[in-house]
Amino acid sequence: MSKKISDVTWKQFQKLPLIEKTPYLMQSDGAPYHTLFAQQFGFGLLEQLALLANEIRAIAKTRAGTEFLRAQATHKRAMLYFSQPSSRTFLSFMSACQILGVPTGEVRDTSISSEFKGESREDSVRTFSSYFDLIIMRTPEKGLAEHMAWVLSNSDRPIPIINAGSGQDQHPTQALLDIYTLLRSFEHKGGLRDRTVLFCGDLLRGRTVRSLSYLLTNYPNIKQVFVAPEPLQVGEDVLAVLTAKNVAFERTDDFRAAIPLADAVYMTRIQDEWDTDKGESAKIDTSRFKFGLEELGLLPQRSIIMHPLPRRDEIATDVDSDPRAMYWRQMRNGMWIRTALIAMTFGCEKRIHDYYRQNY
Ligand code: CP
């Protein structure tokens, strides 16, 4: 059931637990309106998104299908507001908009927008809402996308916001593409259930880990193993969610012992852009938390290797040609699942399902 976000003050909304915020972010048919955090996606919605993404990628294989998709949302415009660096998320969202015929605008460098003149983020976002019908935003600040969603929903130009990464906190659409990759990888191997997912690297500051860990709780009997040097181990907030949901988990610093038991190894890079004291990450010994040919030899044949990317040296390039290396396909999956998300946000999914049924 959806609720009107304009019925609550910012302070009331801010104080709600994430799960209680969810009805304020959804449309009456259950599709997302604002996409702000992983907790708003349950099993049913994840299945719907994956199905829609599969149909879109099949339709896009032909010229006629591409033209059909490109006619879906020509009456909508999207703003890509990325005040933090990005390659994949920015480009895949831009491509997703192009697939659906949605023209885009962008601000990637706030030193050449009016923020440089002292304009507040609130005023900037309200300005974008005057010209666009959707804002896709990446920011270094936790909670900013949420606040902007509330601000816009209480303005005379209420338009949806998609969080494309908010500080160290959440990266919900990365988690959607990660789940989509897991679903596709295990589709003909018993599905996404009764699996062990191993997270390795900077688990403390990696927002993709927090979002994916939560989404995995929607699937039965998925054990989560967190492998990191102690200073970078996963936060208590993530573990509290797993405990409350009765999900099995383990923390360890023994990467090699954990690899043979993993169905998916999810590598992450050291997020030293968040260092408070310059160079503190460099003092941590991360040498045992890298995936090379020796680690590949320990990985079962059924298993896959994932990475949200960008990588540095935590996965050796020698591993790239192994069929279990899923990270390049994972990245492309992002374009399709983000297209599905935008299609749902703009209410295009029924037309796409109908076209798919009639033509495939
Ligand atoms: N995975 C990810 O968010 O990559 P970018 O920072 O390149 O967008």
Side-chain angles (χ1 to χ4, degrees), residues 2 29 33 69 72 117 139 179 242 301:
S2 65
D29 63 356
Y33 181 71
L69 289 169
Q72 291 314 299
K117 294 180 256 176
T139 64
I179 285 289
L242 299 183
Q301 286 304 321

Side-chain angles (χ1 to χ4, degrees), residues 82 84-92 108 138 164-165 171 174 177 207-208 266 269 307-310 330-331 338:
F82 277 58
Q84 236 193 344
S86 168
S87 296
R88 278 146 286 272
T89 312
F90 179 85
L91 290 172
S92 61
R108 303 197 70 182
R138 168 172 288 195
H171 195 345
Q174 175 71 43
L177 77 91
R207 57 194 174 196
T208 69
Y266 190 96
R269 75 179 165 84
H307 194 309
L309 303 176
Q330 180 186 352
M331 184 167 72
R338 286 174 172 133

Side-chain angles (χ1 to χ4, degrees), residues 20-241:
E20 288 180 33
K21 287 177 181 167
T22 297
Y24 292 100
L25 310 178
M26 310 308 270
Q27 304 181 46
S28 54
D29 63 356
Y33 181 71
H34 297 297
T35 293
L36 301 181
F37 42 76
Q39 281 81 344
Q40 67 188 96
F41 293 87
F43 178 81
L45 184 51
L46 292 170
E47 293 291 300
Q48 284 177 47
L49 274 167
L51 175 69
L52 189 59
N54 283 343
E55 290 179 357
I56 288 169
R57 69 197 300 167
I59 293 170
K61 285 189 197 306
T62 65
R63 179 186 287 262
T66 301
E67 284 168 3
F68 162 78
L69 289 169
R70 210 182 299 128
Q72 291 314 299
T74 47
H75 59 307
K76 300 288 187 183
R77 292 182 298 278
M79 176 67 190
L80 296 158
Y81 174 43
F82 277 58
S83 61
Q84 236 193 344
S86 168
S87 296
R88 278 146 286 272
T89 312
F90 179 85
L91 290 172
S92 61
F93 266 121
M94 193 169 78
S95 302
C97 288
Q98 288 167 349
I99 288 168
L100 294 169
V102 177
T104 56
E106 62 184 69
V107 166
R108 303 197 70 182
D109 178 357
T110 53
S111 73
I112 54 166
S113 80
S114 282
E115 276 186 47
F116 186 73
K117 294 180 256 176
E119 185 167 54
S120 69
R121 290 276 166 90
E122 284 86 346
D123 284 1
S124 291
V125 169
R126 285 197 69 160
T127 302
F128 304 149
S129 76
S130 298
Y131 310 125
F132 295 94
D133 304 291
L134 167 69
I135 296 174
I136 301 162
M137 64 186 288
R138 168 172 288 195
T139 64
E141 296 94 345
K142 174 181 175 176
L144 187 69
E146 202 173 302
H147 184 47
M148 291 305 147
W150 184 88
V151 167
L152 289 185
S153 290
N154 283 282
S155 75
D156 56 4
R157 271 285 294 163
I159 63 166
I161 287 207
I162 296 179
N163 176 3
S166 51
Q168 297 171 36
D169 185 37
Q170 287 254 359
H171 195 345
T173 65
Q174 175 71 43
L176 292 178
L177 77 91
D178 293 338
I179 285 289
Y180 184 47
T181 300
L182 287 160
L183 288 171
R184 286 177 70 81
S185 299
F186 297 124
E187 189 178 3
H188 304 297
K189 300 177 187 168
L192 184 50
R193 58 183 308 132
D194 308 323
R195 306 274 172 193
T196 297
V197 176
L198 185 166
F199 295 94
C200 179
D202 188 343
L203 309 184
L204 182 68
R205 302 176 292 187
R207 57 194 174 196
T208 69
V209 173
R210 176 172 289 100
S211 293
L212 177 56
S213 171
Y214 187 85
L215 280 197
L216 283 169
T217 67
N218 286 295
Y219 295 86
N221 195 24
I222 306 289
K223 181 176 177 182
Q224 300 188 24
V225 179
F226 301 100
V227 184
E230 192 49 40
L232 300 177
Q233 252 303 356
V234 71
E236 290 298 331
D237 60 322
V238 175
L239 300 183
V241 170

